[in-house]
Amino acid sequence: MKNNIKELREQCNISQGKLAERCDVTRQTINAIENNKYDPSLKLAFDIARVLGGTMEELFIPYGNGEK
């Protein structure tokens, strides 16, 4: 699943570390999610959306047509 977390995080002027702290995960977890190396749990996805003030639809883009 692709995501727009990095773009929205930067628009909010929040560091990976601060986002991680607010979501109770490590900075490395946020980095892995932003680089599409890890899909977050549903709870974490909602936590990220809440912190960034976005919706799930704004943050995450499902793959389509066999794209990865």
Side-chain angles (χ1 to χ4, degrees):
M1 179 171 294
K2 293 182 182 180
N3 68 73
N4 293 317
I5 294 172
K6 181 177 181 177
E7 292 81 5
L8 289 169
R9 178 180 59 74
E10 289 175 346
Q11 287 176 9
C12 293
N13 200 31
I14 297 175
S15 68
Q16 285 183 343
K18 187 54 109 176
L19 178 58
E21 181 181 304
R22 291 182 182 177
C23 294
D24 198 30
V25 296
T26 66
R27 185 198 60 76
Q28 290 85 351
T29 297
I30 299 299
N31 183 272
I33 294 167
E34 286 184 356
N35 288 298
N36 298 307
K37 294 183 179 181
Y38 174 75
D39 287 333
S41 67
L42 189 56
K43 179 192 180 312
L44 179 53
F46 275 107
D47 287 345
I48 292 169
R50 177 185 46 80
V51 171
L52 296 180
T55 65
M56 296 289 277
E57 291 81 12
E58 291 172 320
L59 291 176
F60 298 97
I61 303 132
Y63 292 121
N65 300 327
E67 184 182 351
K68 287 191 179 189

Coordinates of all heavy atoms in Angstrom, one line a residue:
M1 N 0.8 -1.2 0.0 CA 0.0 0.0 0.0 C 0.9 1.2 0.0 O 1.8 1.4 0.8 CB -0.9 0.0 1.2 CG -1.8 1.2 1.3 SD -3.0 1.1 2.6 CE -4.0 -0.3 2.0
K2 N 0.6 2.1 -0.9 CA 1.4 3.4 -1.0 C 0.8 4.4 0.1 O -0.3 4.2 0.5 CB 1.3 4.0 -2.3 CG 2.0 3.3 -3.4 CD 1.8 4.0 -4.7 CE 2.5 3.3 -5.9 NZ 2.3 4.0 -7.1
N3 N 1.5 5.4 0.4 CA 1.0 6.4 1.3 C 1.6 7.8 1.1 O 2.6 7.9 0.4 CB 1.3 5.9 2.8 CG 2.7 6.0 3.1 OD1 3.3 7.0 3.3 ND2 3.4 4.8 3.2
N4 N 0.9 8.8 1.6 CA 1.3 10.2 1.5 C 1.7 10.7 2.9 O 1.7 11.9 3.1 CB 0.1 11.0 1.0 CG -0.3 10.7 -0.4 OD1 0.6 10.5 -1.2 ND2 -1.6 10.6 -0.6
I5 N 2.1 9.8 3.8 CA 2.4 10.3 5.1 C 3.6 11.3 5.1 O 3.5 12.3 5.8 CB 2.8 9.0 6.0 CG1 1.5 8.2 6.2 CG2 3.3 9.5 7.4 CD1 1.7 6.9 6.9
K6 N 4.7 11.0 4.4 CA 5.8 12.0 4.4 C 5.4 13.4 4.0 O 5.7 14.3 4.7 CB 6.9 11.4 3.6 CG 8.1 12.4 3.6 CD 9.3 11.8 2.7 CE 10.5 12.7 2.8 NZ 11.6 12.2 2.1
E7 N 4.6 13.4 2.9 CA 4.2 14.7 2.4 C 3.3 15.5 3.4 O 3.5 16.6 3.7 CB 3.4 14.6 1.1 CG 4.3 14.1 0.0 CD 4.5 12.6 -0.1 OE1 4.0 11.8 0.8 OE2 5.3 12.1 -0.9
L8 N 2.3 14.8 4.0 CA 1.4 15.4 5.0 C 2.2 15.7 6.3 O 2.0 16.8 6.9 CB 0.2 14.5 5.3 CG -0.8 14.4 4.2 CD1 -1.8 13.3 4.4 CD2 -1.5 15.7 4.0
R9 N 3.1 14.9 6.7 CA 3.9 15.1 7.9 C 4.7 16.4 7.7 O 4.8 17.3 8.6 CB 4.8 13.9 8.2 CG 5.7 14.1 9.4 CD 6.6 12.9 9.6 NE 7.5 12.6 8.5 CZ 8.6 13.2 8.1 NH1 8.9 14.3 8.8 NH2 9.3 12.8 7.1
E10 N 5.4 16.5 6.5 CA 6.2 17.7 6.2 C 5.3 19.0 6.2 O 5.7 20.1 6.6 CB 7.0 17.5 5.0 CG 8.1 16.5 5.2 CD 8.9 16.2 3.9 OE1 8.4 16.5 2.8 OE2 10.0 15.6 4.0
Q11 N 4.1 18.9 5.6 CA 3.2 20.0 5.6 C 2.8 20.5 7.0 O 2.6 21.7 7.2 CB 1.9 19.7 4.8 CG 2.1 19.6 3.3 CD 0.8 19.1 2.6 OE1 -0.3 19.0 3.2 NE2 0.9 18.8 1.3
C12 N 2.7 19.5 7.9 CA 2.4 19.8 9.3 C 3.6 20.2 10.1 O 3.5 20.5 11.3 CB 1.7 18.6 9.9 SG 0.1 18.2 9.3
N13 N 4.8 20.2 9.4 CA 6.1 20.6 10.1 C 6.3 19.7 11.3 O 6.7 20.2 12.4 CB 6.1 22.0 10.4 CG 7.5 22.5 10.6 OD1 8.5 22.0 10.0 ND2 7.7 23.5 11.5
I14 N 6.1 18.4 11.2 CA 6.3 17.4 12.2 C 7.4 16.5 11.8 O 7.4 15.9 10.7 CB 5.0 16.6 12.6 CG1 3.9 17.6 13.0 CG2 5.3 15.5 13.6 CD1 2.6 16.9 13.2
S15 N 8.4 16.3 12.7 CA 9.5 15.3 12.4 C 9.0 13.9 12.5 O 8.0 13.6 13.1 CB 10.7 15.6 13.3 OG 10.3 15.2 14.6
Q16 N 9.8 13.0 11.9 CA 9.5 11.6 12.1 C 9.5 11.2 13.6 O 8.6 10.5 14.0 CB 10.5 10.7 11.4 CG 10.3 10.6 9.9 CD 11.3 9.7 9.2 OE1 12.3 9.3 9.8 NE2 11.0 9.3 8.0
G17 N 10.4 11.7 14.3 CA 10.5 11.4 15.7 C 9.3 11.9 16.5 O 8.8 11.2 17.4
K18 N 8.8 13.1 16.2 CA 7.7 13.7 16.9 C 6.4 12.9 16.6 O 5.6 12.6 17.4 CB 7.5 15.1 16.6 CG 6.4 15.8 17.4 CD 6.7 15.7 18.9 CE 7.1 16.9 19.5 NZ 7.3 16.8 21.0
L19 N 6.3 12.5 15.3 CA 5.1 11.7 14.9 C 5.1 10.4 15.6 O 4.1 9.9 16.1 CB 5.1 11.5 13.4 CG 3.9 10.7 12.8 CD1 2.6 11.2 13.2 CD2 4.1 10.6 11.3
A20 N 6.3 9.8 15.6 CA 6.5 8.5 16.3 C 6.1 8.6 17.8 O 5.4 7.7 18.3 CB 7.9 8.0 16.1
E21 N 6.6 9.6 18.4 CA 6.3 9.8 19.8 C 4.8 10.0 20.1 O 4.3 9.4 21.0 CB 7.0 11.1 20.3 CG 6.9 11.5 21.8 CD 7.6 12.8 22.1 OE1 8.8 12.9 21.8 OE2 6.9 13.7 22.6
R22 N 4.1 10.7 19.2 CA 2.7 10.9 19.4 C 1.9 9.7 19.1 O 0.7 9.6 19.5 CB 2.2 12.1 18.5 CG 2.8 13.4 19.0 CD 2.2 14.6 18.1 NE 2.8 15.8 18.6 CZ 2.5 17.0 17.9 NH1 1.7 17.0 16.9 NH2 3.1 18.1 18.4
C23 N 2.5 8.8 18.3 CA 1.8 7.5 17.9 C 2.3 6.3 18.8 O 1.8 5.2 18.6 CB 2.0 7.2 16.5 SG 1.1 8.4 15.4
D24 N 3.2 6.6 19.7 CA 3.8 5.6 20.6 C 4.4 4.4 19.8 O 4.2 3.3 20.1 CB 2.7 5.0 21.5 CG 3.3 4.3 22.7 OD1 4.4 4.7 23.1 OD2 2.6 3.4 23.2
V25 N 5.2 4.8 18.8 CA 6.1 3.9 18.0 C 7.5 4.5 17.9 O 7.7 5.6 18.3 CB 5.5 3.5 16.6 CG1 4.1 2.8 16.8 CG2 5.4 4.8 15.8
T26 N 8.4 3.7 17.3 CA 9.7 4.3 17.1 C 9.8 5.1 15.8 O 9.0 4.9 14.9 CB 10.7 3.1 17.0 OG1 10.5 2.4 15.8 CG2 10.7 2.2 18.2
R27 N 10.8 5.9 15.7 CA 11.0 6.7 14.5 C 11.3 5.8 13.3 O 10.9 6.0 12.2 CB 12.2 7.7 14.7 CG 12.4 8.6 13.5 CD 13.8 9.2 13.4 NE 14.9 8.2 13.4 CZ 15.2 7.5 12.3 NH1 14.6 7.7 11.1 NH2 16.2 6.7 12.3
Q28 N 12.0 4.7 13.6 CA 12.3 3.7 12.5 C 11.0 3.1 11.9 O 10.9 2.8 10.7 CB 13.2 2.6 13.1 CG 14.6 3.0 13.3 CD 14.7 3.6 14.7 OE1 13.8 3.9 15.5 NE2 16.0 3.9 15.1
T29 N 9.9 3.0 12.8 CA 8.7 2.5 12.3 C 8.0 3.5 11.3 O 7.6 3.1 10.2 CB 7.7 2.2 13.4 OG1 8.2 1.2 14.3 CG2 6.3 1.8 12.9
I30 N 8.1 4.7 11.7 CA 7.5 5.8 10.8 C 8.3 5.8 9.5 O 7.7 5.9 8.4 CB 7.5 7.2 11.5 CG1 6.6 7.1 12.7 CG2 7.1 8.3 10.5 CD1 5.2 6.8 12.5
N31 N 9.6 5.7 9.6 CA 10.5 5.7 8.4 C 10.1 4.6 7.5 O 10.0 4.7 6.3 CB 11.9 5.7 8.8 CG 12.9 5.8 7.6 OD1 13.2 4.7 7.0 ND2 13.3 7.0 7.3
A32 N 10.0 3.4 8.0 CA 9.6 2.2 7.2 C 8.3 2.3 6.6 O 8.1 2.0 5.4 CB 9.7 0.9 8.1
I33 N 7.3 2.9 7.3 CA 6.0 3.1 6.7 C 6.1 4.1 5.5 O 5.5 3.9 4.5 CB 5.0 3.6 7.8 CG1 4.7 2.5 8.8 CG2 3.7 4.0 7.1 CD1 4.0 3.0 10.0
E34 N 6.8 5.2 5.8 CA 6.9 6.3 4.7 C 7.6 5.7 3.5 O 7.3 6.2 2.4 CB 7.7 7.5 5.3 CG 6.9 8.3 6.2 CD 7.7 9.6 6.7 OE1 8.9 9.7 6.3 OE2 7.1 10.4 7.4
N35 N 8.5 4.8 3.6 CA 9.3 4.2 2.5 C 8.6 2.9 2.0 O 9.2 2.2 1.2 CB 10.7 3.9 2.9 CG 11.5 5.2 3.1 OD1 11.6 6.0 2.1 ND2 11.9 5.5 4.3
N36 N 7.3 2.7 2.4 CA 6.6 1.6 1.9 C 7.2 0.2 2.1 O 7.1 -0.7 1.4 CB 6.3 1.7 0.4 CG 5.4 3.0 0.1 OD1 4.4 3.2 0.7 ND2 5.9 3.8 -0.8
K37 N 7.9 0.1 3.3 CA 8.6 -1.1 3.6 C 7.8 -1.8 4.7 O 8.1 -3.0 5.1 CB 10.0 -0.9 4.1 CG 10.9 -0.4 3.0 CD 12.3 -0.2 3.5 CE 13.1 0.3 2.3 NZ 14.5 0.4 2.6
Y38 N 6.7 -1.2 5.2 CA 5.9 -1.7 6.3 C 4.5 -1.1 6.3 O 4.4 0.1 6.1 CB 6.6 -1.4 7.7 CG 5.8 -1.7 8.9 CD1 5.8 -3.1 9.3 CD2 5.2 -0.8 9.7 CE1 5.1 -3.4 10.4 CE2 4.5 -1.1 10.8 CZ 4.4 -2.4 11.2 OH 3.7 -2.8 12.3
D39 N 3.5 -2.0 6.3 CA 2.1 -1.5 6.4 C 1.7 -1.4 7.9 O 1.9 -2.4 8.6 CB 1.2 -2.4 5.6 CG 1.4 -2.3 4.1 OD1 1.8 -1.2 3.6 OD2 1.1 -3.3 3.4
P40 N 1.3 -0.3 8.3 CA 0.9 -0.2 9.7 C -0.3 -0.9 10.1 O -1.2 -1.2 9.2 CB 0.7 1.4 9.9 CG 0.2 1.8 8.5 CD 1.0 0.9 7.6
S41 N -0.5 -1.2 11.3 CA -1.7 -1.8 11.8 C -2.8 -0.8 11.6 O -2.6 0.4 11.4 CB -1.6 -2.2 13.3 OG -1.5 -1.0 14.1
L42 N -4.1 -1.2 11.7 CA -5.2 -0.3 11.6 C -5.2 0.7 12.7 O -5.4 1.9 12.4 CB -6.5 -1.1 11.6 CG -7.8 -0.4 11.3 CD1 -7.7 0.2 9.9 CD2 -9.0 -1.3 11.3
K43 N -4.9 0.3 13.9 CA -4.8 1.3 15.0 C -3.7 2.4 14.7 O -4.0 3.6 14.9 CB -4.5 0.6 16.3 CG -4.4 1.6 17.5 CD -3.9 1.0 18.7 CE -3.7 1.9 19.9 NZ -3.1 3.2 19.6
L44 N -2.6 1.9 14.3 CA -1.5 2.9 14.0 C -1.9 3.8 12.8 O -1.6 5.0 12.9 CB -0.2 2.2 13.7 CG 1.0 3.0 13.4 CD1 1.3 4.1 14.4 CD2 2.3 2.2 13.2
A45 N -2.5 3.3 11.8 CA -2.9 4.1 10.7 C -3.9 5.2 11.2 O -3.8 6.3 10.8 CB -3.6 3.2 9.6
F46 N -4.8 4.8 12.0 CA -5.8 5.8 12.5 C -5.0 6.8 13.4 O -5.3 8.0 13.4 CB -6.9 5.1 13.3 CG -8.0 4.7 12.4 CD1 -8.3 3.4 12.2 CD2 -8.9 5.7 11.9 CE1 -9.3 3.0 11.4 CE2 -10.0 5.3 11.1 CZ -10.2 3.9 10.8
D47 N -4.1 6.4 14.2 CA -3.3 7.3 15.1 C -2.5 8.3 14.2 O -2.5 9.5 14.5 CB -2.3 6.5 15.9 CG -3.0 5.8 17.1 OD1 -4.1 6.1 17.4 OD2 -2.3 4.9 17.7
I48 N -1.9 7.8 13.1 CA -1.2 8.7 12.2 C -2.1 9.7 11.6 O -1.8 10.9 11.6 CB -0.4 7.9 11.2 CG1 0.7 7.1 11.8 CG2 0.1 8.8 10.1 CD1 1.3 6.1 10.9
A49 N -3.3 9.3 11.1 CA -4.2 10.2 10.5 C -4.7 11.2 11.5 O -4.8 12.4 11.2 CB -5.4 9.4 10.0
R50 N -4.9 10.8 12.8 CA -5.4 11.7 13.8 C -4.3 12.8 14.1 O -4.6 14.0 14.1 CB -5.7 11.0 15.1 CG -6.1 11.9 16.3 CD -6.2 11.0 17.6 NE -5.1 10.1 17.8 CZ -4.0 10.4 18.4 NH1 -3.7 11.7 18.7 NH2 -3.1 9.5 18.6
V51 N -3.1 12.4 14.2 CA -2.0 13.3 14.5 C -1.8 14.3 13.4 O -1.5 15.5 13.6 CB -0.7 12.6 14.9 CG1 0.5 13.5 15.0 CG2 -0.8 11.8 16.2
L52 N -1.8 13.8 12.2 CA -1.6 14.7 11.0 C -2.9 15.4 10.6 O -2.8 16.3 9.7 CB -1.1 13.8 9.8 CG 0.3 13.2 10.1 CD1 0.7 12.4 8.9 CD2 1.4 14.2 10.4
G53 N -4.0 15.1 11.2 CA -5.2 15.8 10.8 C -5.8 15.5 9.5 O -6.5 16.3 8.9
G54 N -5.5 14.3 9.0 CA -6.0 13.9 7.7 C -6.9 12.7 7.9 O -7.2 12.2 9.0
T55 N -7.4 12.2 6.7 CA -8.2 11.0 6.7 C -7.4 9.9 6.2 O -6.4 10.0 5.6 CB -9.4 11.3 5.8 OG1 -9.0 11.4 4.4 CG2 -10.3 12.5 6.1
M56 N -8.0 8.7 6.4 CA -7.3 7.5 5.9 C -7.2 7.5 4.4 O -6.1 7.1 3.9 CB -8.1 6.2 6.3 CG -8.2 6.0 7.8 SD -6.6 5.5 8.5 CE -6.7 3.8 8.2
E57 N -8.2 8.1 3.7 CA -8.2 8.1 2.3 C -7.1 9.1 1.8 O -6.5 8.9 0.7 CB -9.5 8.6 1.8 CG -10.6 7.6 1.9 CD -11.2 7.5 3.3 OE1 -11.0 8.5 4.1 OE2 -11.9 6.6 3.6
E58 N -6.8 10.1 2.6 CA -5.7 11.1 2.2 C -4.3 10.5 2.4 O -3.4 10.8 1.7 CB -5.8 12.4 3.0 CG -7.0 13.2 2.7 CD -7.2 14.4 3.6 OE1 -7.0 14.2 4.8 OE2 -7.5 15.4 3.1
L59 N -4.2 9.6 3.4 CA -2.9 9.1 3.8 C -2.5 7.8 3.0 O -1.4 7.7 2.7 CB -2.9 8.7 5.3 CG -3.0 9.9 6.3 CD1 -3.0 9.4 7.7 CD2 -1.8 10.8 6.1
F60 N -3.5 7.0 2.7 CA -3.1 5.7 2.1 C -3.8 5.5 0.8 O -5.0 5.8 0.6 CB -3.5 4.5 3.1 CG -2.8 4.6 4.4 CD1 -3.4 5.2 5.5 CD2 -1.5 4.1 4.5 CE1 -2.7 5.3 6.7 CE2 -0.8 4.2 5.7 CZ -1.4 4.8 6.8
I61 N -3.0 4.9 -0.2 CA -3.5 4.7 -1.5 C -3.3 3.2 -1.8 O -2.2 2.7 -1.9 CB -2.7 5.5 -2.5 CG1 -2.8 7.0 -2.2 CG2 -3.2 5.2 -3.9 CD1 -1.4 7.7 -2.2
P62 N -4.4 2.5 -1.9 CA -4.3 1.0 -2.2 C -3.7 0.8 -3.6 O -4.0 1.6 -4.5 CB -5.7 0.5 -2.1 CG -6.6 1.7 -2.2 CD -5.8 2.9 -1.8
Y63 N -3.0 -0.3 -3.7 CA -2.5 -0.6 -5.1 C -3.6 -1.1 -5.9 O -4.6 -1.7 -5.4 CB -1.4 -1.8 -4.9 CG -0.1 -1.4 -4.3 CD1 0.3 -2.1 -3.1 CD2 0.7 -0.4 -4.8 CE1 1.5 -1.7 -2.5 CE2 1.8 -0.1 -4.2 CZ 2.3 -0.7 -3.0 OH 3.4 -0.4 -2.5
G64 N -3.5 -0.8 -7.2 CA -4.5 -1.3 -8.1 C -3.9 -1.8 -9.4 O -2.8 -1.5 -9.7
N65 N -4.6 -2.6 -10.1 CA -4.2 -3.1 -11.4 C -2.8 -3.9 -11.3 O -2.0 -3.7 -12.2 CB -4.1 -2.0 -12.4 CG -5.4 -1.3 -12.7 OD1 -6.4 -2.0 -12.6 ND2 -5.4 -0.1 -13.0
G66 N -2.6 -4.6 -10.2 CA -1.4 -5.4 -10.1 C -0.2 -4.6 -9.7 O 0.9 -5.1 -9.7
E67 N -0.3 -3.3 -9.5 CA 0.8 -2.4 -9.1 C 1.3 -2.7 -7.7 O 0.5 -3.0 -6.8 CB 0.3 -1.0 -9.2 CG 1.3 0.1 -9.0 CD 0.7 1.5 -9.1 OE1 -0.5 1.6 -9.5 OE2 1.4 2.4 -8.7
K68 N 2.6 -2.5 -7.5 CA 3.1 -2.7 -6.1 C 4.2 -1.7 -5.9 O 4.8 -1.2 -6.7 CB 3.7 -4.1 -6.0 CG 2.6 -5.1 -5.8 CD 3.2 -6.5 -5.4 CE 2.1 -7.5 -5.3 NZ 2.5 -8.7 -4.7

